[in-house]
Amino acid sequence: MKDTLKYMGVVVVFLLSLASCTKKWEDHFGSTSAQKTLYELISENSDFSTFTDLLNKSGYAESLKASKNYTLIIPTNEAMAAAKADYDFTDTAVVKSFVGYHIINSIYNVNTGVDTVKALNMRNKYVEFTHGEFDGVVPTQSNLIASNGIYHVVGQPLKPLQNIFNLLKSKFFSTKQVEAIASFDTVHLDGETMTYHTSPIWISEVRRNMTTESRKYTYFVVDDESYEAEYAKLKPYYTTAYEEGNTTRPDSTTTFFTKKAVLRDFMVEGDLSPETLAAGVVSITGTAFQLDPADIISRTKTSNGAVYRVKHLTYKLSDQIKQIKVLGIDPRGYKQNDKRGNIFFRDKRDMNGALYQDIEIYDHKVTSFYAKYRALSMTVGKYKVYGRAIMGLAGDPQTAVFTQYVHFFDPSIVAVNEPDLYKRPVFNYLGNADTRMAFEVQPLNPNEVYLGEVTQDVYGNMQLLVMCNGTGPIILEYLRFVPIIQ
């Protein structure tokens, strides 16, 4: 009898616990009695007949009949009636885009917190759930449950937003700046075959940021006069040897690189509010610039950030033309490839305890052995060259002072031996004309060493060698090229 009473007590506790859990579930998601799919629930409700009709035309109806879970944000008939003035629902593409924007993969209940939850919809756009709203739209009913998800009712539809790239082309297409953006999409006609081409460099450095939906960016469109002034200022620094109109290499001309440099400096990471702009901002390339709030003409929200139409932005040339660093651990090759056992890539701590990485080539027994390097995307002009190499720390086999040399490729030289191609005229650390820079490495010296000046005549990569003295060692953490801005 006691065992029976004990068993009945356990059952009562379990049922009370189950009831409590069910109540919490209902409080969180709504009634659990719904056994119908999202499609069945909304198609049976006359308040949603207009949206249901579009759902059937969109091709997404079958998804809401399936077992996979979705979140549906559904506008009422009254909300849809108001929306007809803004959308051409006779266009099937518009219908698909509109409906797909309101269907979200997976289940998202209303987020009443201050942190934003980004929910990916069927159009690969993100709807922001925050402060109890969806992209700023407040639901009239929420967390209504179905067998394959939940749905929220809204008194106005969500507005499908364009990404930055599409907004620029549709709203600011007549500006010089957006004309330049459009020019990167080129068409080649070979007989009757039309080929579309977009430079991979342009896509990776600029356009991808304009179209990605997973991150937020802010883009600025300036007056034509301001854009043309920035273009003219930067053009001398991006001069190349390729002729304009060269259809075989359209992405190697002066115009191409100048436009790319100007256009990417108008983009900033993050969705910036007008209040944050007055303090100054930094572009995705690390270029600082200033914006007077009085020069803001408009701000347009996009699906991945915002676009500001402004009169002009203020840049310093010294911020736009950047220094370049060549890392010792990133060689492009060697004089010969049979000395791998003498080449060490090291992780060390300097005398101040700071971590650094370098290369050491030691005991190779090859006269004038060298490692090949490349300084990337060097703008036209003169550069001061600095280097850092630390030796003499615990465990380092090299403890005595030694000299190594830096040589630069000269495209005007024709020679059989590779080292003879690397004799570009330079000024050494004493200011004297030379064809190489001496780099003296002192024991336990954590400081940079000034090596001299070198000139880059055309925009592009600069090839160079770091060569040993005789059969001596090579040690290099980095070379740093600092542009001399007149």
Side-chain angles (χ1 to χ4, degrees):
M1 181 68 178
K2 290 182 180 179
D3 290 341
T4 302
L5 290 174
K6 182 178 180 182
Y7 172 76
M8 291 179 62
V10 171
V11 171
V12 170
V13 170
F14 172 75
L15 291 174
L16 289 173
S17 176
L18 180 62
S20 175
C21 291
T22 304
K23 182 64 169 62
K24 290 179 180 178
W25 175 264
E26 290 176 354
D27 290 343
H28 192 60
F29 286 110
S31 173
T32 59
S33 62
Q35 298 299 316
K36 297 181 179 180
T37 66
L38 286 167
Y39 180 81
E40 290 171 329
L41 286 173
I42 67 171
S43 61
E44 293 172 1
N45 192 326
S46 60
D47 289 339
F48 310 140
S49 59
T50 304
F51 185 85
T52 302
D53 181 54
L54 294 180
L55 175 65
N56 290 326
K57 294 176 181 178
S58 71
Y60 288 122
E62 294 303 314
S63 296
L64 298 187
K65 297 176 184 178
S67 59
K68 181 181 177 181
N69 289 327
Y70 293 96
T71 297
L72 177 64
I73 300 174
I74 182 165
T76 61
N77 288 344
E78 185 178 356
M80 293 300 302
K84 288 182 178 180
D86 299 321
Y87 299 95
D88 179 10
F89 288 133
T90 63
D91 186 330
T92 55
V94 172
V95 170
K96 189 174 182 67
S97 177
F98 181 88
V99 173
Y101 206 88
H102 291 76
I103 304 173
I104 295 169
N105 289 291
S106 195
I107 295 177
Y108 290 87
N109 61 306
V110 171
N111 172 33
T112 58
V114 296
D115 293 332
T116 299
V117 174
K118 298 170 66 175
L120 185 67
N121 63 26
M122 300 289 276
R123 302 304 296 172
N124 287 319
K125 304 281 188 178
Y126 285 91
V127 178
E128 295 185 350
F129 283 48
T130 184
H131 294 292
E133 303 172 347
F134 320 126
D135 281 351
V137 175
V138 180
T140 57
Q141 299 180 69
S142 59
N143 302 336
L144 303 173
I145 215 164
S147 64
N148 61 343
I150 62 175
Y151 65 100
H152 313 288
V153 181
V154 289
Q156 66 182 92
L158 304 183
K159 185 177 181 180
L161 299 173
Q162 294 177 299
N163 60 37
I164 290 173
F165 182 72
N166 290 332
L167 179 74
L168 292 173
K169 292 200 302 181
S170 64
K171 188 170 183 178
F172 303 110
F173 64 91
S174 62
T175 63
K176 295 289 185 183
Q177 183 176 335
V178 179
E179 284 179 9
I181 291 173
S183 71
F184 284 96
D185 296 322
T186 58
V187 178
H188 301 290
L189 192 62
D190 184 9
E192 296 182 355
T193 303
M194 186 176 293
T195 303
Y196 293 89
H197 173 74
T198 300
S199 167
I201 301 174
W202 161 252
I203 291 176
S204 63
E205 293 189 11
V206 187
R207 180 169 167 175
R208 181 172 291 123
N209 297 323
M210 293 181 174
T211 58
T212 184
E213 296 289 345
S214 59
R215 303 179 70 174
K216 296 288 187 180
Y217 292 93
T218 299
Y219 197 78
F220 297 88
V221 179
V222 298
D223 285 350
D224 290 350
E225 295 79 6
S226 180
Y227 172 78
E228 290 176 332
E230 283 299 316
Y231 180 89
K233 181 175 70 173
L234 290 183
K235 185 177 180 180
Y237 296 90
Y238 290 90
T239 301
T240 74
Y242 288 89
E243 295 181 5
E244 301 294 335
N246 180 357
T247 55
T248 61
R249 291 298 305 274
D251 56 353
S252 295
T253 64
T254 302
T255 298
F256 175 89
F257 287 113
T258 306
K259 286 193 297 187
K260 181 168 67 70
V262 174
L263 294 170
R264 67 185 181 181
D265 273 349
F266 290 125
M267 177 166 281
V268 177
E269 189 166 358
D271 186 355
L272 304 185
S273 64
E275 294 75 24
T276 63
L277 299 177
V281 287
V282 178
S283 74
I284 57 174
T285 58
T287 301
F289 61 90
Q290 297 291 323
L291 170 64
D292 186 340
D295 288 332
I296 297 175
I297 298 172
S298 66
R299 181 183 188 275
T300 306
K301 182 177 176 60
T302 67
S303 63
N304 58 341
V307 172
Y308 281 85
R309 178 69 174 86
V310 300
K311 295 178 182 178
H312 70 273
L313 303 170
T314 302
Y315 296 88
K316 292 180 180 178
L317 185 60
S318 57
D319 289 331
Q320 293 172 289
I321 306 301
K322 296 176 174 57
Q323 62 177 277
I324 304 293
K325 184 176 282 190
V326 174
L327 300 179
I329 61 172
D330 191 25
R332 303 289 173 168
Y334 308 95
K335 181 178 182 178
Q336 56 195 67
N337 294 321
D338 60 348
K339 296 297 177 180
R340 299 289 180 171
N342 304 100
I343 300 171
F344 307 94
F345 297 95
R346 309 186 301 179
D347 294 300
K348 298 181 73 68
R349 289 187 183 273
D350 65 18
M351 287 68 74
N352 299 317
L355 284 169
Y356 72 96
Q357 295 178 307
D358 72 358
I359 187 173
E360 180 179 47
I361 305 175
Y362 188 78
D363 196 30
H364 49 83
K365 297 181 175 61
V366 177
T367 301
S368 299
F369 189 82
Y370 55 79
K372 296 186 281 189
Y373 290 92
R374 184 169 63 186
L376 301 176
S377 303
M378 298 279 283
T379 51
V380 176
K382 293 181 179 180
Y383 289 82
K384 289 184 178 293
V385 185
Y386 300 85
R388 190 169 107 133
I390 302 175
M391 63 89 172
L393 294 168
D396 195 334
Q398 181 68 30
T399 57
V401 61
F402 69 94
T403 300
Q404 56 194 0
Y405 298 96
V406 182
H407 299 247
F408 298 92
F409 179 76
D410 187 341
S412 66
I413 295 176
V414 178
V416 175
N417 297 319
E418 184 176 53
D420 293 333
L421 300 173
Y422 289 79
K423 293 186 177 181
R424 180 184 302 201
V426 298
F427 290 97
N428 60 31
Y429 72 98
L430 296 174
N432 299 325
D434 207 331
T435 57
R436 64 183 184 178
M437 294 179 181
F439 186 171
E440 186 178 86
V441 182
Q442 295 282 348
L444 300 177
N445 178 20
N447 301 315
E448 287 186 339
V449 176
Y450 173 63
L451 305 180
E453 291 184 12
V454 64
T455 299
Q456 178 77 337
D457 296 320
V458 295
Y459 175 77
N461 300 330
M462 179 185 287
Q463 313 295 333
L464 59 104
L465 306 176
V466 177
M467 181 182 290
C468 69
N469 181 21
T471 58
I474 294 173
I475 296 178
L476 180 65
E477 181 187 351
Y478 65 78
L479 297 172
R480 186 166 64 94
F481 296 80
V482 180
I484 302 172
I485 306 298
Q486 302 296 335

